[in-house]
Amino acid sequence: MVRIRVLVVDDHRIFAESLAAALAAEPDVEVAAAGSGPAALRSLERAATEGRRFDVALVDADLGAMPPGVRAANGAEDGVVDGISLVAGVRTAQPHVRVVVLAERDDPRRAALALQAGACGWVAKDCSLSRLLTVVRGVLRDETHLPPALLTGVLRELTAARKHRTESEALVESLTPREREVLRCMVAGLGRKAVAERLFLSPHTVRTHMQNVLGKLGVHSTLAAVALARRAGVGPADLAGDVVERGGQLA
């Protein structure tokens, strides 16, 4: 019998334990639970190292969420990973693991974000065990599962996201090669002086390039430019090595 190894990731202990116990009653399912995003990533890494990797991760959509004014037990939010971010983290660290998001409410926008992050399904927390098992087995066959009531909204969100990405890509294409280099440095979080040193330009020249970038992208701040660049798929400059040619002249 082929066994399915499932990791339940939910910081609501009673729900996680109850779900894990219900799944473990199935003869072909092995279950473990993690109470946070970092703990889940550690469990996945440890299992892979030991040759007993997980097949499916069931992730709480509201993982890490706290009521307004309430802080984490350690007094800070360090290490808190929300559900959608964890989907992307799992898919990056363990691409073979299928991720299904468990949600207390239908939310087309968040469901679309989850799919974009790499999730294979979005399932109500109060669905039946048989329904959940159908989804678990389905995603292992490379199926994508969404509640029918969410489908139209999710498709609308994905279409809108694609439109915004296409528009952002066109704006980035309007930049000169040097302006795109400056934009990648901005995405990497470099300030004007650091960009000048990296591209062998004067701070005045970099300032001009940055103003041109903002103008061509139609935004009024560096943060807005970085957000648009990421939407267009522009990654940060490689800060690990000096890959920039000494083409620029000090001005």
Side-chain angles (χ1 to χ4, degrees), residues 2 39-40 213:
V2 177
V213 167

Side-chain angles (χ1 to χ4, degrees), residues 24-179:
E26 295 296 312
D28 62 339
V29 179
E30 293 182 15
V31 189
S36 69
L41 292 173
R42 289 193 297 270
S43 294
L44 290 168
E45 182 179 2
R46 183 167 58 251
T49 301
E50 296 173 354
R52 49 182 188 85
R53 67 186 191 181
F54 287 96
D55 301 299
V56 178
L58 303 177
V59 176
D60 176 21
D62 297 318
L63 185 71
M66 292 178 287
V70 177
R71 297 180 69 82
N74 62 0
E77 285 74 28
D78 292 346
V80 174
V81 178
D82 66 81
I84 306 303
S85 296
L86 180 60
V87 173
V90 170
R91 294 297 293 163
T92 298
Q94 306 280 345
H96 63 277
V97 178
R98 271 63 165 193
V99 183
V100 175
V101 177
L102 304 177
E104 291 187 355
R105 59 192 177 281
D106 286 345
D107 185 332
R109 181 177 177 276
R110 296 194 71 206
L113 290 173
L115 293 180
Q116 289 175 310
C120 300
W122 179 280
V123 182
K125 274 192 168 185
D126 59 359
C127 75
S128 66
L129 180 61
S130 62
R131 167 61 182 163
L132 181 57
L133 287 168
T134 295
V135 172
V136 167
R137 295 187 172 107
V139 298
L140 290 174
R141 296 191 296 267
D142 292 326
E143 299 172 358
T144 299
H145 285 257
L146 285 173
L150 265 184
L151 187 57
T152 299
V154 168
L155 289 176
R156 187 182 297 117
E157 291 287 341
L158 293 176
T159 299
R162 180 60 221 173
K163 178 183 177 182
H164 292 156
R165 179 182 175 91
T166 301
E167 293 172 348
S168 300
E169 289 171 345
L171 290 171
V172 170
E173 284 297 317
S174 72
L175 303 179
T176 66
R178 178 61 87 189
E179 289 166 351

